[in-house]
Amino acid sequence: MTSAVCPGSFDPVTYGHLDVIERAASRFDQVLVACTSNLGKEPLFAVDERVDLVRAATAHLDNVRIETFDGLLVDFCRAHGVGLIVKGLRAVSDFEYELQMAQMNSTIGEVETLFMTTSPVYSFLSSSLVKEVARFGADVSGFVPPVVAAALRARLG
């Protein structure tokens, strides 16, 4: 069985994230979506809320499982017997950071990273941008699944 891990903070999950997860799910027998807190960011949603939102957004994918983790991604991969990470790239600026992470993960955990470019229609999209736009009351329904749009409206008013 071929498995891959799609990691992220998913605060909140966007159509850009789902694009990568769905494409990974079409290529691997099992995809573990690894949801973690990002220590460099102040989350809008708690980890359990994010897991629920990702689970709802991926319910149509039978081979996707949502998990949480703290610590090193390579430890999560090792614990689940997965040697491949799938990461989405929106722009060249993403690549510089993600390349360093991929090289570190390969060195310390013998885990490879597959980079998947996000579909051009989502190349500008980020969770941070969605939250910022939603805070000002703009319609974000074109950027996130309906369950996420509803959660944003409930949280931000």
Side-chain angles (χ1 to χ4, degrees):
M1 175 188 288
T2 59
S3 299
V5 171
C6 285
S9 54
F10 305 106
D11 185 41
V13 63
T14 69
Y15 283 138
H17 294 127
L18 291 176
D19 172 56
V20 172
I21 293 167
E22 288 172 346
R23 289 167 48 215
S26 74
R27 288 161 175 79
F28 297 98
D29 295 323
Q30 181 179 43
V31 175
L32 294 173
V33 176
C35 189
T36 187
S37 57
N38 185 330
L39 298 178
K41 297 179 182 177
E42 183 67 31
L44 179 62
F45 296 101
V47 173
D48 60 331
E49 292 173 305
R50 288 183 270 141
V51 165
D52 289 344
L53 292 171
V54 176
R55 191 167 282 130
T58 59
H60 64 288
L61 302 170
D62 293 335
N63 62 334
V64 171
R65 197 171 84 223
I66 317 304
E67 300 278 342
T68 62
F69 81 100
D70 287 313
L72 294 175
L73 181 57
V74 294
D75 292 336
F76 176 87
C77 289
R78 189 176 300 114
H80 289 85
V82 179
L84 183 68
I85 298 166
V86 175
K87 296 291 300 240
L89 297 176
R90 294 170 296 183
V92 173
S93 57
D94 288 345
F95 180 72
E96 286 189 45
Y97 173 77
E98 295 297 347
L99 177 62
Q100 288 179 312
M101 293 295 295
Q103 291 171 329
M104 180 63 80
N105 289 336
S106 178
T107 301
I108 67 172
E110 299 177 7
V111 177
E112 294 298 325
T113 301
L114 172 69
F115 294 116
M116 190 176 283
T117 56
T118 303
S119 295
V121 69
Y122 304 121
S123 63
F124 67 95
L125 197 52
S126 72
S127 294
S128 298
L129 186 56
V130 167
K131 288 185 290 192
E132 183 177 339
V133 169
R135 279 188 178 99
F136 287 99
D139 179 17
V140 295
S141 62
F143 312 129
V144 296
V147 66
V148 175
L152 284 165
R153 281 190 303 276
R155 180 64 42 97
L156 299 173

